Amino acid sequence: MPTTETIERFIKRVEEGAHAEACEEFYTEDSSMQENQGPPRIGRSSHVANERKVLARAKSVESRCIRPVFVADNKVVIRWIFRFEWLDGTVTEMEELAYQRWEGEQIAEETFFYDPAQRVPRKPTA
């Protein structure tokens, strides 16, 4: 079960924009990450590579945790809001729930739940 301090450090890293680094620091080596009910990505290195790939397409990313964070034993649920400004000038705004299973102080399994329609980039509003 993760400590409150560990969960808060994880959230802080993501809110700082250190997405790939958060994967390196807080996920088990053989962790799984799944988007909605799609096939999971397995392994910390695949999570880091995926984050770097997404971030390479972005001019900026804003990440914000919406509280409260729900914790029960080794399960944690975090509500996130993300805003991606892409290199082509479009934006993507997403709200998602991250359902995590922790092993001690690291995330072993994570599933994201969100409306896939949010992933479609759009022109920014004035």
Side-chain angles (χ1 to χ4, degrees), residues 24-37:
E24 291 171 331
E25 296 166 22
F26 291 95
Y27 289 74
T28 65
E29 186 176 337
D30 61 345
S31 56
S32 70
M33 192 180 281
Q34 185 177 23
E35 310 241 356
N36 286 331
Q37 298 305 308

Side-chain angles (χ1 to χ4, degrees), residues 44-59:
R44 179 174 47 220
S45 61
S46 70
H47 310 326
V48 171
N50 186 69
E51 292 296 327
R52 288 191 173 133
K53 180 180 170 184
V54 171
L55 294 172
R57 296 180 14 240
K59 181 178 177 183

Side-chain angles (χ1 to χ4, degrees), residues 8 13 24 50 83:
E8 290 301 324
R13 291 297 276 156
E24 291 171 331
N50 186 69
R83 185 178 193 280

Side-chain angles (χ1 to χ4, degrees), residues 7-8 11-12 15 64-70 78-79:
I7 295 168
E8 290 301 324
I11 291 168
K12 183 177 185 219
E15 288 184 330
R64 188 165 45 107
C65 170
I66 306 299
R67 297 181 184 274
V69 173
F70 296 97
I78 303 173
R79 180 180 169 203

